[in-house]
Amino acid sequence: KLIQTMPEIYEIDDDKESILESAEELKAQGNERFMKGHYDEARELYTKAIETLSTSSDCSVVTGKELLDLRDDHERKERQRVTEIRKQQQRMDMASKQSQSQSSDSDGNGNQGAKVDNEVKMVPFVPPKSDFPNELAIYHSNRSACMSKLLDISSKSESLTIEAGLSYDFVIDDCDIALLHKPGYVKALLRRMNAYEKMEKYEDALQDAREALVNETKSNTRKEIQNHISRLERLHREKMQKLQEETMGKLKDLGNSFLSNFGMSLDQFKAEKDPNTGSYNISFGK
């Protein structure tokens, strides 16, 4: 008997289809308000679209906050598990070395001991199945774009007041939710990249830009992403250079504070690089 199986994705029943239509209508209204520059109104409409899908008893959907909580709890437990395994491996490694040393002392022939695998990795979080992963990814990503626009405008205009407590952390949370529903979603990656850049977290922004480049197929968009990567690499280098200079300045101040007790300062010491060996010769001048 031939059994015909349905695709795993799903076939939406009438109730779910009606709910999805309502959410899509709210999204369309949000898109219209966004295009006209009414970002706060668009954000509210995207929020209603999210709630339409997330609060219905007829749909299998966890809310965005629940999804982030599940991810954070999973990652916390994984960090604990990996830390404990590494501690056990370190104890095994030490015991193996001690056994090897004792064997070598007793008969003059050492052994390699037990090989310890230090490559312990965290198991990635797998979100629970949702009836509308693609739609929720879009709604959350679109809402993050509204918040980014509001924050950008408020930073340039003192006359605009936005909701108290609204920050780029909310943008990142919405993009995180979108990417949990739809891994590799380029728009969400680029919007999170932008938020990280605004927060001067250039390394995180670079990671998102590089992942977006891997997932993007359109040549024009890929070129834009490559420009983002070049800019972020420069900003990251400049930030690291500034941090290095600040650190060296603090170390110099600390050194001068100590040497001042002996009537000296670091300025009296001169470092000259030997071109033949690459080492430095330190000389003292009064």
Side-chain angles (χ1 to χ4, degrees), residues 30 32-43 146 150:
E32 181 183 355
R33 303 311 291 165
F34 185 91
M35 294 300 294
K36 292 181 178 179
H38 302 298
Y39 304 120
D40 204 26
E41 294 176 20
R43 181 170 70 108
C146 295
L150 289 168

Side-chain angles (χ1 to χ4, degrees), residues 12-25 52-53 56 58-59 132:
I12 302 177
D13 57 34
D14 291 340
D15 290 337
K16 291 180 181 178
E17 187 171 359
S18 176
I19 293 167
L20 180 57
E21 286 177 359
S22 298
E24 284 289 283
E25 176 59 29
T52 299
L53 296 186
S56 172
D58 296 320
C59 302
F132 309 109

Side-chain angles (χ1 to χ4, degrees), residues 69 71-87 120-123:
D69 287 343
R71 180 202 62 182
D72 293 345
D73 185 59
H74 169 84
E75 290 180 352
R76 178 183 57 80
K77 290 178 179 178
E78 278 299 293
R79 282 193 295 270
Q80 291 176 345
R81 181 186 67 83
V82 169
T83 298
E84 184 57 35
I85 290 174
R86 286 176 178 166
K87 286 180 180 178
V120 185
K121 297 181 180 179
M122 290 177 58
V123 176

Side-chain angles (χ1 to χ4, degrees), residues 263-278:
M264 297 184 295
S265 75
L266 287 174
D267 293 333
Q268 294 173 286
F269 293 86
K270 186 177 180 181
E272 294 181 344
K273 187 175 182 179
D274 188 328
N276 297 320
T277 63

Side-chain angles (χ1 to χ4, degrees), residues 201-247:
K201 295 183 177 182
Y202 302 125
E203 194 168 359
D204 291 327
L206 265 171
Q207 184 175 338
D208 279 347
R210 287 166 179 158
E211 186 177 348
L213 185 63
V214 170
N215 287 279
E216 183 54 67
T217 57
K218 296 177 182 177
S219 58
N220 290 341
T221 308
R222 285 180 59 85
K223 187 174 180 180
E224 292 176 4
I225 296 172
Q226 287 168 341
N227 290 336
H228 288 316
I229 291 173
S230 297
R231 184 188 68 260
L232 289 166
E233 286 175 339
R234 174 179 57 78
L235 290 170
H236 182 59
R237 285 194 304 269
E238 290 174 356
K239 183 180 180 180
M240 291 299 100
Q241 179 64 30
K242 183 180 178 181
L243 181 61
Q244 184 180 16
E245 291 172 356
E246 290 174 352
T247 303

